[in-house]
Amino acid sequence: AAGPLAPGPSIVGLWRLLYASGADVVSLAASPVVSVGAVLQDIRDPPAIVNVIDLIPRALALLPPDIAQALDSAFRLRVYT
């Protein structure tokens, strides 16, 4: 029988995901209205994990970058698991 596991590094924190294949993210990325910005996982209060998805109106892509940044109209979707 194996002994107790040695404590490893903590995963507690707010993490920005470099890649996400979850159905909630993929379905939002297919929307004609919004595009997906940052995708985060909030694990600051385990065992609860909150997926945070920044959504950006696609119409902003039609504007010059300096105007689009000035509008800063992204909003955040929180999915609790």
Side-chain angles (χ1 to χ4, degrees):
L5 296 175
S10 175
I11 63 165
V12 174
L14 181 62
W15 300 88
R16 182 176 180 148
L17 302 181
L18 300 177
Y19 176 82
S21 63
D24 52 350
V25 177
V26 172
S27 63
L28 288 170
S31 168
V33 179
V34 295
S35 61
V36 175
V39 179
L40 310 165
Q41 277 197 327
D42 186 347
I43 313 174
R44 292 182 284 190
D45 187 22
I49 297 174
V50 181
N51 293 323
V52 181
I53 306 164
D54 288 342
L55 301 174
I56 304 162
R58 287 196 187 269
L60 288 181
L62 302 173
L63 301 174
D66 55 333
I67 295 174
Q69 288 177 356
L71 293 175
D72 190 28
S73 61
F75 60 97
R76 205 161 249 187
L77 176 66
R78 296 179 185 275
V79 180
Y80 294 84
T81 58

